[in-house]
Amino acid sequence: MKNLKAVLISSLLTLTTTSVYAQNCDCTKNFEWVKKTFETNDAGFEYALKQKSNQAYEAHNKTISEKVKSAKTFSECTPVLYEWLTFFRSGHVAIRPLKQESPKQNTPEKSNNEFANWETLPVETQDFKKYLDKKKTSDYEGIWYTEPYTIGIKKKGDQYVGFIIESGAETWTKGQVKLKLNSSGGKMSSVYYMRDHSGVESSEITLTGKNHLQIGDFSLSRVYPKMEDDPKYTQYFKSISAIEPYIEKLNETTFYLRIPSFQASQKKKIDSVIAANKDKILSTENLIIDIRNGTGGSDASYNSILPLIYTQPIRTVGVEYLSTKLNNQRMLDFINKPEYGFNEENKKWAKASFDILEKQQGKFVNLNDNVVSITKYDTIHPYPKNVGIIINQRNGSTDEQFLLAAKQSRKVKLFGTTTFGVLDVSNMYYVPSPCKEFELGYSLSRSMRIPDFTIDAKGLQPDFYLDRSIPVYEWTEYVNWVLNGK
């Protein structure tokens, strides 16, 4: 649901927008373009206004307009544009910077100069390592990695300060302060500075074992000094750091399938893991599927999983597409751009869909014959008898679409916390700004579950809520315990 993306290259768009804005791509002009494009083409725009009122929208516009006026650089403008988008929903919207090719634009030199006066903590790496070697206790101090940064964290008074040791981002240089952990009244708080140096605050700071630090949404792994951890953390660290799907046997009655992402690029890998282990899965009593911290992606990526856990016909409520000149261009992209990999049959579908949409511009269009589609499989496998799917608040979009289908099986129970809640308005499309500084991401479709069964801002609830008394590194073992009836 999330990963139908395209970059529109249209002579009509070029003629109608570039001539107006190309000579003056300041934040005000960028905001005007984003606002007009979103209002005209986003499938969730009118729905959001009905939910929040025109009065609230006008107040939001006024606030953002003032912020736009004071944004002097593209780095200052980007978070303001994104803040405007978050009025409508918490996901399936984006402002995505494009790589700059012109030396007059945002080159590495300009980026570095822009933050030349940023706070620094000058620490020599070798001296810091010698200091760490002498420590007798394990805490936040150390050298950590989170892509694309190597970060040293050193205690300064009651504060832990994270500074850049190595950076893979042009906006960050050695010694600059990347994060801070503060202790006040026995409570911890943090600020983590993003690639554009905007700060993200959080009160959720967790050191799991000795080598895994979670600061809000950001995960860091200790790279120095290497510390031996309790074996009970091994399975958790392996699963949470995985970037590709894998399966392993937990015991004689349970297999564990880890799927970090349903992105389209992962489909072949997921299918391969399933195919190689299908006989084992279908001869084992229990199956745990862990999709925590998912990325969304493509519905096709989970197609090989559903037949394994199927017990009865799966009902899926469809979507309606908002037909506009800009939105319908995606169907032509499917036909004309090789990167989509459409075969001749799929191209015929795209052409037929384009023709239907073009005849109904300004309307929401259901491209299927029915509101609800029903999926049936020939076989109900006796094994696995019990399926536990582990979820958390970082599962949204395609992850939630998978859960809607999977939980219709009598074998399936969900374990964890409520999901993110971003599915009702979906099918993202990316359009370049007039000066090609960034892409606006918005959505082409809305679910026909609206208004009776909405998920946005609510999420899907687990059957077994895993509260804070159960550490995240024990979730898999807890699900294993439940499935085995112990």
Side-chain angles (χ1 to χ4, degrees), residues 347-359:
K347 288 181 180 180
K348 289 180 181 178
W349 170 85
K351 179 59 168 65
S353 298
F354 176 80
D355 292 340
I356 294 171
L357 290 165
E358 280 290 278
K359 293 176 182 177

Side-chain angles (χ1 to χ4, degrees), residues 75-76 78-79 97 106 111-112 114-115 118 145-149 164 167-173 176-178 192-200 218:
S75 295
E76 293 175 352
T78 303
N106 192 19
S111 296
N112 291 336
E114 185 177 340
F115 302 110
W118 191 260
Y145 181 77
T146 180
E147 190 177 5
Y149 310 104
I164 294 292
S167 172
E170 62 188 27
T171 49
W172 285 93
T173 58
Q176 289 185 323
V177 172
K178 181 68 174 172
Y192 183 99
Y193 297 103
M194 302 289 285
R195 186 175 292 237
D196 63 359
H197 288 237
S198 59
V200 178
F218 307 101

Side-chain angles (χ1 to χ4, degrees), residues 40 57 143 204 235 240 307 348:
T40 304
Y57 180 48
I143 297 176
E204 296 184 8
Q235 193 275 339
I240 217 68
K348 289 180 181 178

Side-chain angles (χ1 to χ4, degrees), residues 24-312:
N24 187 9
C25 287
D26 60 14
C27 197
T28 298
K29 292 299 183 183
N30 281 332
F31 175 55
E32 290 173 356
W33 175 80
V34 166
K35 185 173 181 293
K36 181 177 180 180
T37 304
F38 193 90
E39 288 178 342
T40 304
N41 298 284
D42 183 74
F45 174 72
E46 292 293 341
Y47 174 64
L49 289 192
K50 289 180 181 178
Q51 299 296 307
K52 300 185 178 183
S53 82
N54 285 311
Q55 183 178 2
Y57 180 48
E58 290 305 319
H60 181 65
N61 286 335
K62 184 177 180 180
T63 299
I64 295 300
S65 295
E66 291 302 314
K67 292 185 178 182
V68 163
K69 291 176 184 178
S70 61
K72 304 303 181 184
T73 67
F74 179 65
S75 295
E76 293 175 352
C77 184
T78 303
V80 179
L81 298 179
Y82 182 72
E83 182 183 351
W84 181 80
L85 290 172
T86 58
F87 172 86
F88 304 99
R89 52 187 177 271
S90 57
H92 286 165
V93 292
I95 297 292
R96 188 166 69 180
L98 291 168
K99 181 179 180 180
Q100 302 300 324
E101 297 179 356
S102 169
K104 295 181 180 180
Q105 295 175 318
N106 192 19
T107 62
E109 290 78 10
K110 180 175 180 180
S111 296
N112 291 336
N113 289 338
E114 185 177 340
F115 302 110
N117 296 323
W118 191 260
E119 181 182 358
T120 62
L121 182 63
V123 177
E124 287 296 327
T125 303
Q126 291 305 316
D127 291 342
F128 188 47
K129 286 184 175 180
K130 291 178 182 178
Y131 163 76
L132 293 172
D133 289 339
K134 295 178 181 178
K135 281 179 65 73
K136 302 297 184 182
T137 58
S138 171
D139 57 11
Y140 302 119
E141 285 194 311
I143 297 176
W144 304 80
Y145 181 77
T146 180
E147 190 177 5
Y149 310 104
T150 300
I151 301 171
I153 298 181
K154 184 174 177 58
K155 190 173 185 181
K156 303 287 290 184
D158 292 333
Q159 188 178 65
Y160 290 88
V161 180
F163 56 94
I164 294 292
I165 293 177
E166 294 181 4
S167 172
E170 62 188 27
T171 49
W172 285 93
T173 58
K174 186 175 181 178
Q176 289 185 323
V177 172
K178 181 68 174 172
L179 62 90
K180 292 181 179 180
L181 308 179
N182 302 294
S183 177
S184 177
K187 295 183 178 180
M188 293 292 295
S189 63
S190 70
V191 57
Y192 183 99
Y193 297 103
M194 302 289 285
R195 186 175 292 237
D196 63 359
H197 288 237
S198 59
V200 178
E201 297 181 356
S202 177
S203 59
E204 296 184 8
I205 303 165
T206 306
L207 182 60
T208 303
K210 299 176 181 178
N211 298 307
H212 185 80
L213 178 60
Q214 190 75 30
I215 303 175
D217 290 336
F218 307 101
S219 298
L220 294 83
S221 298
R222 190 191 297 271
V223 294
Y224 194 90
K226 289 290 186 181
M227 296 184 177
E228 186 175 351
D229 247 330
D230 190 305
K232 68 182 180 181
Y233 301 119
T234 303
Q235 193 275 339
Y236 171 72
F237 288 137
K238 178 182 177 181
S239 65
I240 217 68
S241 61
I243 59 175
E244 294 186 353
Y246 71 88
I247 193 168
E248 64 181 9
K249 186 177 182 180
L250 292 185
N251 50 55
E252 290 301 317
T253 57
T254 310
F255 266 93
Y256 171 88
L257 174 61
R258 171 65 172 142
I259 301 178
S261 171
F262 284 123
Q263 290 288 351
S265 61
Q266 295 294 304
K267 174 175 168 50
K268 288 184 179 180
K269 297 174 183 177
I270 295 171
D271 291 348
S272 178
V273 168
I274 295 294
N277 296 276
K278 184 176 180 180
D279 291 343
K280 296 177 182 178
I281 294 172
L282 295 180
S283 60
T284 303
E285 185 173 355
N286 303 315
L287 175 64
I288 297 174
I289 304 174
D290 189 347
I291 66 169
R292 280 178 286 181
N293 303 337
T295 66
S298 168
D299 292 1
S301 294
Y302 59 73
N303 284 347
S304 61
I305 301 174
L306 294 180
L308 304 179
I309 62 178
Y310 174 81
T311 62
Q312 59 205 31

